[in-house]
Amino acid sequence: MTDTINKGSSTEFDAKYGILDKNTPPRSLMCGRYKQSFAYYTLRSRLPITLTSIIDSITKDKDDLLSEYGEGSREEIKNIIGSISKLKYELQTDKTIETFFGNEPDKEIWNKFIKSLGPGENSFFKTCWLYAECYMYRRLSSFFENSQTLMSFDYFAKQKQNALISSIKCVEDILRVLQKIDITFESFQLMLKLNLWGNRCDLSITSGKEVILGDNPFDLVHGFDKRIIVDDTVAVNDYLKSINKYKPRVVEFVCDNAGYELFTDFVLADYLIKSKLAEKVRFNLKAIPWFVSDATIKDVDWTLQYLRNHSSPVLREYGERWQRFLEGKIFEVEPLEYFWTSPYEYYKMREINPDLYKRLSEAQLVVFKGDLNYRKLIGDFSWNFTEPFKTCLRGFLPTSIISLRTVKADLISGLLEGQAEILFETDKNWMTTGEYGTIQFVKKSTLSA
Ligand SMILES: O=P(O)(O)OC[C@H]1O[C@](O)(CO)[C@@H](O)[C@@H]1O
């Protein structure tokens, strides 16, 4: 995939913006200046396509927007389209990242970060890929946040809702299994794998295009067993069974995509309660529309409402059950937290947001879903692939953590010697297809009483 864009990209762009025709050097921050990196492909091709598709969808849906947000939104729609086009131009001409000046609730944290970037490291292709990509989505959201009529409009909502609606047969199949599941190690393993592969339904990797699930989610799970290249399922199951002296045992989910993936988060959370491996599950969601399909609190409400209103009895049953869990505080949605839509890697959390770090440390396990969370766990940093996952956390360990990630970016840790080489021989793009997954667990040795 990256080869295509690199061959097609104009050399004058590379010359003008100091692009180096090489891959990311070892143990360096990943950024768009390395032409052979997925960072370059993302910034040069994927993100402009994402911005263009937002402009196209707003333009196409303008009449619906006008009827929903009133005639006063007409001018603002035009201005926002102009702002998105300007952002796209800045991205495509490697402009310096600008500070925020509107009424963004997290303006201070973002501007402090932007000002901390050194000269020569503060433009889209020169700064770390993670910062540039997070900045683009944050800046995009600010155009709506600072409007008078469209501040609550989620420009990704339709795609996120479709991601559930189009997978409703899989949803039904899974719920029928959950209804009568026995609590065994095998069923725990199945729930974890279903949740892992639910992460393939991420619309940012397709720049917004729908990800089509196969017919039967269990076929997908069993068919992909060999593609789980690190699997700590046994360790995390043993750990959860060993902590039964803590009450209530709390598991935090740092969620990723809405749609089918959010559904699989509810399924895994339900299983943890049903199996008595936890008494409470808390969900951490995004405060703003993020990376196309990341889940917001509104997406949780919509998902439960959609299930509760569905014609299928089993969908209604679980929509009602999970709504009751929320009312009974067995499930909890955590209060809005802008740290999750900041550019910071997680090893900086204790310094930047100690209250959040403390809250996570009170849980017995934190489940980090997906690729972007993985990038923030280890940083957009070209670690040796065999570097231990715990080392790459650089001290971030509020409590025991597990990462469930389908591999969509050219960074990874915790592989065995020679494992990556074999995978590259199989498919040179294996790191950016989402067709390989990792289940990586780090136990916090001294759990406070
Ligand atoms: O939804 P997920 O699993 O976090 O994936 C999003 C990630 O995938 C990518 O789109 C491709 O790596 C990244 O830009 C982003 O980090």
Side-chain angles (χ1 to χ4, degrees), residues 48-198:
I49 291 171
T50 300
L51 291 176
T52 304
S53 64
I54 296 166
I55 292 171
D56 294 347
S57 66
I58 293 175
T59 307
K60 184 170 64 62
D61 298 342
K62 193 166 73 171
D63 292 344
D64 297 343
L65 290 174
L66 286 171
S67 58
E68 185 170 354
Y69 296 96
E71 185 52 34
S73 63
R74 185 183 298 276
E75 188 63 21
E76 291 201 310
I77 291 169
K78 190 163 73 62
N79 295 342
I80 286 172
I81 289 173
S83 299
I84 300 172
S85 304
K86 179 173 177 288
L87 175 58
K88 184 181 160 196
Y89 170 76
E90 290 170 11
L91 169 60
Q92 291 182 308
T93 53
D94 190 27
K95 288 293 184 289
T96 303
I97 284 172
E98 291 174 4
T99 50
F100 292 91
F101 51 85
N103 52 11
E104 302 83 7
D106 52 342
K107 179 169 64 175
E108 300 317 318
I109 189 174
W110 262 99
N111 287 347
K112 177 169 173 258
F113 177 82
I114 292 168
K115 288 173 187 155
S116 75
L117 297 174
E121 296 173 344
N122 59 356
S123 67
F124 281 97
F125 281 77
K126 302 296 181 304
T127 195
C128 174
W129 171 29
L130 176 68
Y131 310 161
E133 190 167 16
C134 288
Y135 172 78
M136 188 205 85
Y137 284 104
R138 187 66 193 88
R139 180 91 177 280
L140 172 65
S141 171
S142 72
F143 303 146
F144 298 86
E145 252 165 337
N146 288 303
S147 73
Q148 299 303 313
T149 58
L150 293 157
M151 67 284 274
S152 66
F153 173 55
D154 182 343
Y155 34 92
F156 295 136
K158 250 187 185 171
Q159 292 149 286
K160 292 187 279 189
Q161 291 167 12
N162 266 334
L164 181 68
I165 295 167
S166 61
S167 56
I168 211 64
K169 186 186 168 314
C170 294
V171 166
E172 233 174 342
D173 292 348
I174 291 168
L175 290 178
R176 289 218 174 88
V177 167
L178 186 61
Q179 264 180 326
K180 50 185 187 313
I181 203 160
D182 295 329
I183 306 303
T184 62
F185 170 76
E186 288 69 25
S187 62
F188 175 81
Q189 186 170 46
L190 175 64
M191 292 295 116
L192 224 45
K193 289 177 181 177
L194 271 175
N195 187 277
L196 167 69
W197 296 120

Side-chain angles (χ1 to χ4, degrees), residues 158-424:
K158 250 187 185 171
Q159 292 149 286
K160 292 187 279 189
Q161 291 167 12
N162 266 334
L164 181 68
I165 295 167
S166 61
S167 56
I168 211 64
K169 186 186 168 314
C170 294
V171 166
E172 233 174 342
D173 292 348
I174 291 168
L175 290 178
R176 289 218 174 88
V177 167
L178 186 61
Q179 264 180 326
K180 50 185 187 313
I181 203 160
D182 295 329
I183 306 303
T184 62
F185 170 76
E186 288 69 25
S187 62
F188 175 81
Q189 186 170 46
L190 175 64
M191 292 295 116
L192 224 45
K193 289 177 181 177
L194 271 175
N195 187 277
L196 167 69
W197 296 120
N199 176 242
R200 293 189 68 210
C201 293
D202 141 54
L203 300 173
S204 72
I205 192 127
T206 62
S207 297
K209 275 195 278 316
E210 190 178 342
V211 176
I212 304 295
L213 266 174
D215 285 343
N216 180 324
F218 300 100
D219 293 348
L220 181 105
V221 163
H222 297 309
F224 269 52
D225 264 351
K226 290 191 174 49
R227 291 173 179 256
I228 299 180
I229 53 179
V230 183
D231 187 351
D232 292 341
T233 302
V234 171
V236 67
N237 185 254
D238 290 347
Y239 166 73
L240 283 170
K241 287 192 293 192
S242 74
I243 55 168
N244 53 15
K245 54 182 176 297
Y246 295 92
K247 289 282 187 281
R249 288 161 299 172
V250 175
V251 175
E252 296 258 14
F253 274 64
V254 181
C255 295
D256 187 4
N257 298 303
Y260 175 75
E261 180 170 0
L262 180 63
F263 161 75
T264 62
D265 291 344
F266 277 119
V267 167
L268 178 56
D270 191 310
Y271 180 88
L272 291 173
I273 301 298
K274 192 172 195 168
S275 60
K276 299 193 181 352
L277 288 171
E279 278 72 43
K280 189 186 284 280
V281 176
R282 293 188 185 129
F283 298 92
N284 295 269
L285 299 143
K286 300 302 187 296
I288 58 172
W290 191 248
F291 281 67
V292 185
S293 41
D294 275 42
T296 65
I297 292 177
K298 274 199 299 189
D299 294 318
V300 167
D301 296 342
W302 181 88
T303 299
L304 294 182
Q305 202 55 37
Y306 181 78
L307 295 174
R308 293 168 67 195
N309 293 338
H310 203 275
S311 57
S312 156
V314 72
L315 269 64
R316 286 201 305 275
E317 176 192 335
Y318 274 88
E320 292 299 337
R321 173 180 165 89
W322 294 338
Q323 185 61 38
R324 283 197 312 275
F325 275 17
L326 281 171
E327 286 153 11
K329 297 201 178 311
I330 296 171
F331 285 179
E332 286 182 347
V333 170
E334 291 292 6
L336 277 196
E337 177 52 73
Y338 280 87
F339 185 84
W340 304 121
T341 50
S342 81
Y344 287 109
E345 301 92 339
Y346 291 154
Y347 78 90
K348 298 174 185 165
M349 183 190 289
R350 202 159 15 183
E351 175 208 342
I352 300 297
N353 194 326
D355 291 347
L356 175 59
Y357 193 89
K358 182 175 179 303
R359 172 160 67 74
L360 296 182
S361 67
E362 288 159 4
Q364 279 64 53
L365 180 69
V366 183
V367 181
F368 286 95
K369 290 298 308 295
D371 189 77
L372 176 58
N373 274 322
Y374 194 86
R375 290 170 58 191
K376 289 190 168 185
L377 280 168
I378 72 169
D380 268 8
F381 190 78
S382 51
W383 299 99
N384 296 331
F385 294 153
T386 55
E387 195 77 54
F389 180 46
K390 185 171 184 179
T391 307
C392 302
L393 296 174
R394 287 178 275 189
F396 175 75
L397 197 60
T399 186
S400 298
I401 69 165
I402 182 169
S403 157
L404 301 175
R405 175 223 187 181
T406 56
V407 185
K408 301 170 195 160
D410 47 355
L411 67 150
I412 197 164
S413 65
L415 296 191
L416 301 174
E417 285 299 337
Q419 197 172 3
E421 290 73 6
I422 294 169
L423 290 163
F424 278 116

